[in-house]
Amino acid sequence: MTIALETKGLVKRFGGLQATDNVSFQLQQGARHALIGPNGAGKTTFINLLTGVIKPTAGQIFLEGQDITGLRPELRVQRGLARTFQINQLFPAMTPLETIGLAVSERTGGGRDWWRVTGSRREIIDEIVEIAQRFRLTDVLDEKTSNLAYGKQRLLEIAVAFACRPRVLLLDEPAAGVPEAERHELLATVAALPRDVSVLLIEHDMDLVFSFADRITVMVNGALFTEGTVEEVSTDPRVRAVYLGESVDE
Amino acid sequence: MSTNIADYVSATLTRRGRWGVGEILFWLIAAATLYFLPERHLILNEIAIIGLFAISLDLILGYAGIVSLGHAAFFGLGAYTAGILARNGIADPLLGLGAAAITAAILGFVTSFLVLRGSDLTKLMVTLGVALVLGEIANQASWLTGGADGLQGVTMGPILGLFEFDIFGTTAYAYSLTVTFLLFIVARRIVVSPYGLSLRSIRDNPLKARAVGIPVNRRLIAIYTLAAAYAGVAGALLAQTTQFVSLDVLAFHRSADVMLVLVIGGVGYLYGGLIGAIVFKVLQDVISAWTPQYWQFWIGLILVIIVLAGRERLTERVRTLWKGVAGRTAKSPDTLPKTSAREV
C-alpha cells in the first residue's frame, strides 16, 4: 500500500507547552482513518501543522512522498490536501452555489480569470451540480450561507473541501454540534466519498468513528498513544481509561 | 432533473453579470445630462470624477475588505503626473491618463506590500502615512509641483486631436463621464468574474479562502494595484479638466471625503460610489448655497444618521418594493426556492 500522507518526528511547542510531541504518523492511500483523543490532546494543532496554518518546531510532512513542510497553505491545497474546520469557516455573505463555484473555479485555474462571468463555463457547472447533489445541498443553493441550518452548513463545509478535489481530506470534527439524528447521515455522506480520496477524520466522540473508520489512532497529550483497527482500539482498556480521565502510565 | 439543476445553477451564477433595466436607465440619464443640464456641467464633471475615485476605493474596500484612509495618495499622484506632463508640453489628454494610471499603479504595487500586512488599524495607519509622506514631498518639491502655489501653466490639447476643452465644461464632462463609464464596465466585469468572487471570499474569511487554495496575497496585491490605477486616472481627469493641480489633491480630506461618498452610496456595490458622489456633491451644492458656513455640520449629521440607521436597511426596503413592482425576471425550477442573495 502506498502512503498518502506522512509525518516524521513532528514537534510543535507553544512556549513551554509541547502541543505536538514527536508525532510520526502514516495515512494509507484510500484509508478511512480516524484520529481520536480527549479534549486538548492536540488533534487540531496536528491538523493545523499538516495544512500549514502553523509551522512545526521540528519534523517533516510528506504528501504522497513529497516534502511539503515549507509549503504555504494554499499551495498544499493545490497539491491535493484539503481540510474542514472544527468551527464552521464559511463565507457568510455568499451563497452555497457561489462557495462551491469558487472552490471549483479556483481548482481549475479560473481564479485568475477576471473577464468572464462566473458560471459561464459548462464543465464547472456540471461539477457544481455533482457536488451539490452529493452533499444534498440542491435545495439551498441560492440562500445566504449565514441563513442555512447548522447541519447544512456542516455539509457545505465538507462540500467545499471536496470541491478542491483533494487526494487527502482532513475532517476536523465534522459532526461537532450537529444534532444526534443527523450525525450518522453526515458521516455516511463522508464514508460514501470516492475511494481515491484518503480521509483522516478527527473526532472527540469515540463511538461515532467506529462505524466509519477502518483504522484508528489515539492521541494523548500531543503524542501518539496507540494505533490499530477499530476492533483493537475499541477493546483496548487503556484507551477507555484515557477517555474516562484516569491516569495512564506513559 | 440534473440538466434542470444545471440550467438553474448556470442562470443563477451568471445572473449577477446581466445588466438590469435600472442600470441601463442610470447611464442613459447620465448621458442625457450632457444635453439637458448644460449649465451644470462643471459640477457634473466633478461628480463623475469623484464617482470614479469612489469606485476605485470600493474595489479594495467593498470587494476585498482593505480599509484605507490614504486613497488620495494615488489620486494626487495621478493628478500631478497628468499636470506635470501637460505643463511640459505633452498636452495629449489620453497620454496623460495612461501615464497617471501607470505611475499610480506602480505606487500601488509597491505600497501594497506594506498595506497588506497587519490588522485593519495597521492598514489605516500605513495608508494614511503614505498619503502624508506624498503630500509633504509634493509640498517640498516646488520646482516640480509648484508647492503650495499649485501647479501653474497646465494647458491641455484637444482629446483625440478633435475635441477642445471649453469654458462651460461640456467637453470636460463628456470626457470624464466616458472614461468613468468605460472603467466602470471593466470594474463591473471584474466583480462578477471568478477573480471577483475570490476577492469577496477573501473579504469574508481569509483563513477559509486559503483553505480553498486561493493565493490571498497575490489576489489582494492585484486589486490594490488596479484600484490605485483607477484613482490615478480620476486624479488625472481632475487635473486635466480643471487645468490646475494643488496640494489639495493629496490632502487628508480627499481620502476622508471619498470614504464618506462610499458610505453614503453603499460599500460593496459599484453604483454605491456613483450614487454617493451624486448625493454628496448635490448636498454640498444645495447646503452651501443655503447656509455656506454650516455645510460641514449637515454632512456630518447625515453621515451619522446613515451609519446608525443602516443604509442596508434603508435601501433594502426600496429594493424589496422595486422587486415587487418589477416582478421576477429569472426563472427557476419549481422545486427550488427563489430567495436571492445580494446583486452585483
Side-chain angles (χ1 to χ4, degrees), chain A residues 72 74 77-78 85 89-95 97-98 102-103 105-106 110-120 122 125 128-129 133 138-139 141-143 157 160 164, chain B residues 2 5-10 12-17 186 189-190 192-195 197-198 200-201 204-205 207-215 218-219 336-337 339-341:
Chain A
R72 289 201 306 275
E74 63 266 25
V77 179
Q78 287 165 17
F85 293 83
Q89 293 286 347
L90 293 164
F91 306 116
M94 289 167 47
T95 64
L97 182 51
E98 289 173 325
L102 172 78
S105 57
E106 282 301 326
R112 287 186 302 275
D113 187 345
W114 57 272
W115 188 247
R116 259 181 305 190
V117 176
T118 310
S120 51
R122 186 71 209 190
I125 298 294
I128 293 172
V129 171
Q133 285 175 330
T138 45
D139 53 338
L141 276 177
D142 199 27
E143 299 210 39
E157 178 95 35
V160 175
C164 300
Chain B
S2 176
I5 296 180
D7 290 342
Y8 169 74
V9 163
S10 164
T12 312
L13 275 177
T14 51
R15 174 187 62 199
R16 285 161 44 84
V186 174
R189 283 305 286 238
I190 290 172
V192 299
S193 73
Y195 170 69
L197 189 60
S198 77
R200 286 168 59 214
S201 78
D204 269 17
N205 189 342
L207 175 72
K208 181 68 171 188
R210 276 202 186 86
V212 178
I214 297 170
R218 231 182 291 169
R219 297 282 158 85
L336 298 164
T339 41
S340 65

Side-chain angles (χ1 to χ4, degrees), chain B residues 16-17 52 60-61 73 82 96 105 117 165 191 211 272 290 309 325:
Chain B
R16 285 161 44 84
L52 178 60
I60 60 164
L61 177 66
R117 54 188 66 231
F165 285 103
V191 301
W290 167 48
V325 174

Side-chain angles (χ1 to χ4, degrees), chain A residues 5-10 23-26 46 50 60-62:
Chain A
L5 184 67
E6 183 175 16
T7 68
K8 285 181 181 163
L10 208 58
V23 172
S24 295
F25 171 84
Q26 290 184 341
F46 184 59
L50 291 177
Q60 288 170 297
I61 306 163
F62 299 89

Side-chain angles (χ1 to χ4, degrees), chain B residues 32-338:
Chain B
T33 54
L34 276 169
Y35 299 96
F36 294 114
L37 285 173
E39 73 282 9
R40 288 260 172 251
H41 285 168
L42 288 172
I43 188 173
L44 284 169
N45 177 49
E46 259 188 87
I47 289 175
I49 291 169
I50 293 173
L52 178 60
F53 189 27
I55 287 174
S56 160
L57 182 65
D58 204 17
L59 282 176
I60 60 164
L61 177 66
Y63 288 93
I66 306 168
V67 288
S68 170
L69 264 185
H71 213 47
F74 308 117
F75 185 86
L77 183 63
Y80 273 112
T81 303
I84 290 167
L85 276 182
R87 191 193 55 181
N88 293 319
I90 303 169
D92 183 64
L94 294 183
L95 207 63
L97 279 193
I102 290 168
T103 51
I106 291 171
L107 181 69
F109 179 75
V110 172
T111 55
S112 71
F113 295 92
L114 306 172
V115 170
L116 296 181
R117 54 188 66 231
S119 63
D120 283 354
L121 183 63
T122 316
K123 289 187 178 90
L124 287 176
M125 291 305 110
V126 171
T127 49
L128 179 62
V130 168
L132 287 176
V133 166
L134 229 62
E136 193 50 35
I137 290 175
N139 187 27
Q140 294 300 326
S142 50
W143 56 273
L144 184 66
T145 63
D149 297 333
L151 189 68
Q152 312 281 348
V154 177
T155 38
M156 297 311 300
I159 301 158
L160 297 169
L162 295 173
F163 307 101
E164 289 281 358
F165 285 103
D166 58 275
I167 54 160
F168 307 106
T170 302
T171 310
Y173 175 46
Y175 175 50
S176 297
L177 186 64
T178 308
V179 171
T180 299
F181 177 62
L182 293 177
L183 290 182
F184 173 84
I185 289 178
V186 174
R188 199 184 178 289
R189 283 305 286 238
I190 290 172
V191 301
V192 299
S193 73
Y195 170 69
L197 189 60
S198 77
L199 287 179
R200 286 168 59 214
S201 78
I202 293 168
R203 178 199 64 193
D204 269 17
N205 189 342
L207 175 72
K208 181 68 171 188
R210 276 202 186 86
V212 178
I214 297 170
V216 169
N217 280 353
R218 231 182 291 169
R219 297 282 158 85
L220 292 180
I221 289 167
I223 196 65
Y224 197 74
T225 304
L226 182 78
Y230 267 53
V233 169
L237 285 175
L238 186 72
Q240 292 176 345
T241 56
T242 59
Q243 312 216 348
F244 179 71
V245 187
S246 74
L247 288 175
D248 179 75
V249 294
L250 284 164
F252 173 68
H253 77 82
R254 279 266 168 212
S255 304
D257 280 357
V258 72
M259 181 85 87
L260 198 68
V261 162
L262 203 53
V263 170
I264 291 174
V267 180
Y269 169 63
L270 286 180
Y271 285 94
L274 296 169
I275 293 166
I278 295 167
V279 173
F280 182 78
K281 274 322 254 187
V282 169
L283 272 180
Q284 192 179 40
D285 206 38
V286 170
I287 298 173
S288 12
W290 167 48
T291 162
Q293 63 273 48
Y294 294 128
W295 145 246
Q296 300 268 0
F297 170 86
W298 288 108
I299 195 73
L301 190 68
I302 289 165
L303 178 69
V304 170
I305 290 171
I306 286 175
V307 172
L308 287 185
R311 196 196 45 81
E312 277 288 302
R313 246 179 300 162
L314 298 174
T315 53
E316 210 59 44
R317 207 163 291 168
V318 176
R319 215 171 276 167
T320 333
L321 274 175
W322 170 253
K323 282 237 170 80
V325 174
R328 288 200 178 79
T329 44
K331 262 177 77 175
S332 63
D334 298 335
T335 49
L336 298 164
K338 290 177 179 176

Side-chain angles (χ1 to χ4, degrees), chain A residues 59 97 160 167 173 202 227:
Chain A
L97 182 51
V160 175
R167 313 279 303 135
E173 301 204 18
I202 284 74
E227 184 181 319

